[in-house]
Amino acid sequence: MNPAILVIGNVNVDFILGPVTPWPRPGTETIFPQSELRIGGAAGNSALTLQALGARFRILCNMGDDIFGRWLIDSFKPDSRRWPIAPTPTTASACLAHPNGERTFLTSHGHLAVTSARDVVTLLPKRARKGDIALLCGGFLSPVLLDSYDELIAILAERGFAIALDTGWPSGGWTPAQRRHVRRWIGKCDHVLLNEIESDGLSGKRNVSGAGQWILQHTRAGAAVVIKRGPLGALAWQDGVHANIPAPRVKVVDTTGAGDVFNAGYLFARSKGLGLKASVAAGVRIASRVIATSPRRYGASIPRKSN
């Protein structure tokens, strides 16, 4: 049986509107040419990618008790039937699209505010199979879960999972306390997956290479550090190997969740035995395809082996 990827984090609803320019004035009404209601959140975006790629995966999360929660559960059956239901509305994001492809998110607390480590551990297998990977993502949107990250990471390691971490951007910025917490977490992870501004904020460095080396110095032996750079592709380091994978030039349609799509492509490739460079290339290729299509098309396959 092929290895599985467990996605632990935020699955919520995204309502996309746009493009918008300039920013609407308070008290006015703005008509947008496009709108779309879809599954969102870091975990949701990664899971949709894994689903499209035919990967073995499971989402470990809770859900809100409303029509949106039932819709999200229906989208990921059968495993989603076991998701704990919180007595709150489902978290929703209003995403305003801008002409340059960037997005502004307005997000409610909802069920993510009460997601706990217990919700996750209840769904966690007692033991990992060979090659299984657990992806922790979107943690800063779930403060109760985040407070238990040390415990959760320890449980994942004890049960034999390789651990991948994408912190996202902390809503309060990179305070000294946040940096201490994340530095401790990355020291116990096998894959650290950040974007360029996150790596700069965490490391305090002014350039991407310096940030990558700083993060690498704080990881465990053999860990991979990947920095996602949007239209510039991605950089990565592991065991003395350095990868610099450029992104193909595409006409950008929608960048929402591009980093989450990359994570899924990269981790699926790693779970199939590909090396650092081939896995980063897979993530870049799939993310580039996704941001250039609407409705989204993933249009990429992962080879079985790589030297």
Side-chain angles (χ1 to χ4, degrees):
M1 185 177 292
N2 293 328
I5 299 172
L6 274 58
V7 186
I8 301 169
N10 56 321
V11 180
N12 51 263
V13 171
D14 279 353
F15 187 43
I16 315 292
L17 292 167
V20 55
T21 183
W23 191 260
R25 289 179 57 193
T28 66
E29 182 174 17
T30 300
I31 305 300
F32 297 104
Q34 297 178 348
S35 67
E36 183 181 359
L37 180 68
R38 70 185 185 205
I39 297 167
N45 291 324
S46 292
L48 288 174
T49 307
L50 293 168
Q51 191 174 66
L53 295 174
R56 288 188 64 236
F57 75 96
R58 289 176 56 190
I59 310 173
L60 280 57
C61 67
N62 69 338
M63 191 47 59
D65 189 11
D66 58 13
I67 188 171
F68 285 140
R70 291 188 287 276
W71 174 55
L72 293 171
I73 289 171
D74 285 343
S75 299
F76 291 108
K77 285 180 178 178
D79 290 335
S80 58
R81 292 173 178 154
R82 298 180 56 214
W83 292 352
I85 304 299
T88 66
T90 299
T91 299
S93 286
C95 174
L96 299 182
H98 304 290
N100 64 354
E102 291 301 325
R103 300 290 185 264
T104 298
F105 287 90
L106 307 172
T107 303
S108 65
H109 284 295
H111 71 284
L112 296 181
V114 296
T115 306
S116 69
R118 181 177 180 181
D119 293 329
V120 173
V121 175
T122 298
L123 303 172
L124 188 66
K126 295 298 183 183
R127 191 69 189 169
R129 296 177 181 269
K130 183 179 179 181
D132 285 356
I133 302 171
L135 168 63
L136 293 165
C137 55
F140 286 121
L141 295 174
S142 300
V144 176
L145 177 62
L146 198 71
D147 286 343
S148 301
Y149 251 33
D150 289 293
E151 174 190 357
L152 179 57
I153 288 172
I155 291 172
L156 291 169
E158 190 276 331
R159 297 193 184 185
F161 290 93
I163 303 171
L165 175 66
D166 184 343
T167 63
W169 183 265
S171 58
W174 287 102
T175 64
Q178 295 287 25
R179 293 182 70 210
R180 285 195 300 271
H181 293 321
V182 176
R183 187 166 63 240
R184 188 169 63 248
W185 300 334
I186 65 176
K188 301 174 183 178
C189 292
D190 302 279
H191 305 273
V192 179
L193 308 167
L194 303 179
N195 68 28
E196 193 163 359
I197 62 171
E198 291 160 356
S199 63
D200 289 350
L202 171 61
S203 67
K205 302 298 181 181
R206 294 180 179 271
N207 62 81
V208 65
S209 295
Q213 290 303 313
W214 185 94
I215 296 168
L216 196 63
Q217 290 169 7
H218 289 84
T219 56
R220 63 195 303 174
V225 173
V226 180
I227 298 180
K228 298 166 281 186
R229 307 185 69 199
L232 297 179
L235 296 175
W237 300 261
Q238 184 181 28
D239 284 337
V241 176
H242 173 52
N244 183 357
I245 306 298
R249 295 186 66 179
V250 298
K251 183 178 180 181
V252 174
V253 175
D254 181 3
T255 62
T256 306
D260 308 319
V261 173
F262 173 94
N263 292 347
Y266 166 82
L267 292 174
F268 184 37
R270 296 308 301 250
S271 76
K272 296 185 72 173
L274 274 70
L276 180 70
K277 292 182 179 180
S279 297
V280 173
V284 168
R285 184 172 64 251
I286 294 166
S288 297
R289 169 72 169 173
V290 164
I291 66 172
T293 55
S294 181
R296 292 195 150 178
R297 295 191 295 274
Y298 297 83
S301 60
I302 307 294
R304 292 185 177 276
K305 295 180 180 180
S306 175
N307 294 328

